[in-house]
Amino acid sequence: MAGLTGALIVLPQGVAFATIAGLPPEYGLYAAMAPAIVAALFGSSWHLVSGPTTAISIAVFASGSPFAQPGSPEFISMVLTLTFLTGVFQLILGLARMGVLVNFISHTVVIGFTAGAAMLIAGSQIKNFFGLDIPRGTPFFETLSLFAQSIRAIDPFVTVVAVSTLASGILVKRFFPKFPYMIAAMLVGSFLALFLNTQYGVDVTHIKTVGALPSGLPPLSAPDFSFGALHQMLFPSLIITMLALTEAVSISRAIATKSGQHIDGNQEFVGQGLSNLVGSFFSSYASSGSFNRSGVNYAAGARTPLAAVFASLFLVVILLMVAPLAAYLPDAAMAGILFLVAWGLIDFHHISLLPKISRQETIVLWVTLIGTLIDLEKGIFFGIALSLVFYLYRTSRPTLEPVLPDTEPESYHYVPLDGRPECPQVKMMRFNGSIFFGAVAHLQQQMQLLEEQEPERKHLVVMASGMNFVDLAGAEFLAEAARHRRKMGGALYFYRMKDSLAETLKRGSFMDDVGAGNLFPAKSRPIETIYPKLDNEICRNCPVRAFTICQQRLPSGEARPS
């Protein structure tokens, strides 16, 4: 039953997504047949349903349209080559166990790219929605300009069909959520177009239809393996590879949180790669996991990947029955449905939330979105690169926070100053962040500033539990800092340094400078070792008494005068 539900849902989606990709409508249905079966059998998720998706479809169109006329045999051949290369790259990444790569595509980048893709989808359908003569493949901003110049040429009959389809889809989705809103909208648009064409004639209404779909199994196909085609599709296939894998793994993990299943990202890569490899020989274009169909599959009670297999088989049977009816499906109705799809793709909640949370993430979002509108292939790379740059900038500036021991007698914790005065001879700082080559310059600057502002505090105790990693440059920095503190007449100490960091210092002989005796384990009190090294006269006249031991005796060991 879950498979039958999935087949009914993918029928209108497949036609719509193929239209976005610039392919004949049947290719969207072919992409939901063989690839879906292979992905289900060889992937990791029990519930993921693969097939055509909006983001991949718009990427396919953007990849092939500069080299061939969309819908032409040359374009189809290039798309099959693109699908084949995508499958090869996905399979290689899976076998090489490189599933971790998708973690470098942030959620913000995906939101920005999806929103940009949604606007591109809507822009590509303006001509069909309003019955205007705008060349196919026109860039987004140029399409808006042509639309503004052609407002007086809007066809009322075409627009009525498109608006009626859009409105009916919204109403059904709002008031009858269990009914497939796309099918309902298609029926309303088709019957209205049939009525208008019968009443006034096609010459008056200008309402064009999709045309009858070929029924039966997807025909065998062969990608173009010429050097020119492979060279032209190489870079776009890398984009689609990462985008498709991000979609598939993200959706698998999202559903796994509900089902309790453990997802093997590498196995999912293998399944997706094999599905696209096989699909390129069965008239399919690049496919990935579909959130809508996967969510419905889980909600419908699917328990094994066989649900996706049954969905593909049912789709073949359904296509045999309804293929001729596509001759009555108007282009305007398809445009209305795609407007609805585009609107649903934009994550307004997170887009409005980001400015309240992070300025940097907001910049990443808008750079990705605008970059996608200008050049879809490069837009997502701009977003990934910028998000990584911001991440590296943040990690290159570890935070240094002054602390003091907790006032509770039995506590081993160190807490922010909160107005408490510090010891005039000992500085205690918490380091949060890794000490690597990118952070060394910032740390050197902070240490120099600390020395200039507080030269009398020659002993520095670092709370090192927040230091997760140290590389060669970081180790050299720590050794130099320790030597410099000794020259000042003090020392550099570390409390709760991780064993892995200490081992790195030992292997590089940096521990000779740092000093193993200056490392203090958890639940020890470094000040008890440091206190005898302090200046006795400064302590005698010090009113601060920042540590418990200060109140008991002087560094020389004599009792503190009352």
Side-chain angles (χ1 to χ4, degrees):
M1 290 308 298
L4 179 59
T5 305
L8 291 173
I9 289 175
V10 78
L11 183 66
Q13 286 187 346
V15 174
F17 295 161
T19 304
I20 294 171
L23 293 164
E26 62 269 18
Y27 278 80
L29 302 177
Y30 295 158
M33 294 179 183
I37 293 175
V38 174
L41 296 179
F42 290 92
S44 170
S45 174
W46 299 333
H47 304 102
L48 183 71
V49 179
S50 293
T53 69
T54 44
I56 301 298
S57 298
I58 192 69
V60 166
F61 177 81
S63 302
S65 56
F67 305 107
Q69 177 65 28
S72 66
E74 294 79 14
F75 182 83
I76 294 172
S77 178
M78 299 203 79
V79 168
L80 293 174
T81 303
L82 175 68
T83 304
F84 176 83
L85 289 174
T86 298
V88 169
F89 287 132
Q90 289 175 325
L91 185 59
I92 290 173
L93 290 174
L95 295 176
R97 307 193 67 78
M98 296 294 287
V100 69
L101 284 177
V102 298
N103 296 334
F104 290 98
I105 303 179
S106 72
H107 186 51
T108 302
V109 171
V110 174
I111 291 172
F113 174 80
T114 306
M119 294 172 71
L120 287 176
I121 291 168
S124 70
Q125 295 302 309
I126 285 177
K127 63 173 185 176
N128 292 327
F129 195 94
F130 296 103
L132 299 174
D133 185 18
I134 298 176
R136 193 171 193 173
T138 303
F140 178 77
F141 293 106
E142 189 178 338
T143 298
L144 296 183
S145 175
L146 291 173
F147 172 66
Q149 297 170 24
S150 309
I151 288 180
R152 293 184 179 181
I154 289 176
D155 190 301
F157 293 101
V158 172
T159 306
V160 164
V161 172
V163 170
S164 300
T165 305
L166 177 62
S168 60
I170 293 172
L171 292 173
V172 171
K173 191 176 182 180
R174 174 71 177 84
F175 296 105
F176 305 97
K178 293 186 177 181
F179 192 85
Y181 71 93
M182 281 192 179
I183 292 179
M186 281 184 176
L187 291 173
V188 170
S190 298
F191 281 120
L192 179 58
L194 181 62
F195 169 77
L196 292 175
N197 282 339
T198 304
Q199 192 77 12
Y200 300 100
V202 178
D203 294 336
V204 175
T205 63
H206 304 115
I207 299 174
K208 300 175 183 177
T209 60
V210 171
L213 299 175
S215 58
L217 295 170
L220 293 175
S221 58
D224 182 359
F225 292 118
S226 66
F227 177 79
L230 292 173
H231 180 262
Q232 289 171 338
M233 292 295 104
L234 186 64
F235 180 73
S237 65
L238 288 172
I239 300 286
I240 293 177
T241 293
M242 295 309 298
L243 183 59
L245 291 178
T246 302
E247 277 193 327
V249 175
S250 300
I251 294 166
S252 297
R253 289 175 178 170
I255 296 178
T257 58
K258 300 177 182 179
S259 66
Q261 183 198 357
H262 171 72
I263 298 297
D264 182 347
N266 295 307
Q267 186 61 44
E268 203 58 60
F269 276 30
V270 170
Q272 292 296 316
L274 288 174
S275 72
N276 281 315
L277 271 176
V278 172
S280 67
F281 294 97
F282 284 90
S283 301
S284 303
Y285 72 93
S287 64
S288 182
S290 165
F291 191 81
N292 286 338
R293 296 193 296 280
S294 300
V296 169
N297 189 44
Y298 175 74
R303 294 291 177 268
T304 75
L306 282 178
V309 175
F310 284 130
S312 299
L313 298 177
F314 278 129
L315 180 60
V316 175
V317 176
I318 294 171
L319 187 58
L320 290 171
M321 296 185 291
V322 304
L325 298 179
Y328 300 98
L329 178 61
D331 289 339
M334 283 301 305
I337 290 169
L338 291 175
F339 266 43
L340 194 56
V341 168
W343 180 265
L345 282 174
I346 301 176
D347 190 343
F348 292 101
H349 171 67
H350 283 100
I351 291 175
S352 62
L353 195 61
L354 274 175
K356 304 174 186 176
I357 297 175
S358 170
R359 180 185 175 188
Q360 291 183 345
E361 290 291 290
T362 304
I363 294 172
V364 169
L365 172 80
W366 286 104
V367 166
T368 307
L369 194 157
I370 296 171
T372 299
L373 293 177
I374 296 171
D375 188 326
L376 182 138
E377 294 175 7
K378 296 182 178 65
I380 191 169
F381 264 129
F382 288 149
I384 294 171
L386 187 59
S387 63
L388 290 176
V389 166
F390 280 144
Y391 170 75
L392 289 173
Y393 177 78
R394 289 194 298 268
T395 56
S396 69
R397 301 174 70 83
T399 58
L400 283 71
E401 179 186 23
V403 295
L404 281 174
D406 195 345
T407 53
E408 293 293 328
E410 301 299 321
S411 175
Y412 292 93
H413 294 141
Y414 290 80
V415 296
L417 300 182
D418 196 23
R420 291 168 59 192
E422 296 180 84
C423 172
Q425 299 188 69
V426 180
K427 184 74 174 181
M428 293 187 165
M429 301 285 288
R430 178 178 286 116
F431 275 29
N432 291 315
S434 296
I435 313 300
F436 72 110
F437 66 93
V440 167
H442 172 72
L443 289 172
Q444 287 174 334
Q445 184 181 20
Q446 293 300 307
M447 295 288 275
Q448 183 178 352
L449 187 63
L450 181 65
E451 182 184 338
E452 291 173 356
Q453 293 177 343
E454 305 173 21
E456 71 282 359
R457 293 190 172 102
K458 301 174 182 179
H459 296 269
L460 177 62
V461 185
V462 174
M463 308 300 133
S465 60
M467 292 165 49
N468 299 314
F469 167 76
V470 62
D471 66 358
L472 176 62
E476 289 179 339
F477 161 73
L478 295 178
E480 173 59 31
R483 290 194 298 267
H484 185 69
R485 283 281 161 179
R486 280 200 299 273
K487 289 179 182 178
M488 292 172 60
L492 177 65
Y493 312 91
F494 295 92
Y495 176 64
R496 292 185 62 187
M497 176 182 279
K498 290 181 170 62
D499 292 340
S500 59
L501 268 68
E503 187 61 33
T504 299
L505 296 178
K506 288 177 184 176
R507 287 199 303 266
S509 300
F510 299 106
M511 192 61 78
D512 298 340
D513 292 310
V514 173
N518 292 336
L519 270 58
F520 298 92
K523 294 190 175 181
S524 64
R525 300 192 190 279
I527 193 61
E528 294 180 356
T529 302
I530 300 170
Y531 191 61
K533 303 176 183 179
L534 303 183
D535 188 305
N536 199 64
E537 291 306 312
I538 295 177
C539 285
R540 185 186 299 276
N541 301 312
C542 175
V544 175
R545 303 185 186 183
F547 312 112
T548 303
I549 195 172
C550 298
Q551 303 169 15
Q552 300 169 353
R553 58 184 172 86
L554 295 173
S556 61
E558 62 183 288
R560 179 176 288 279
S562 57

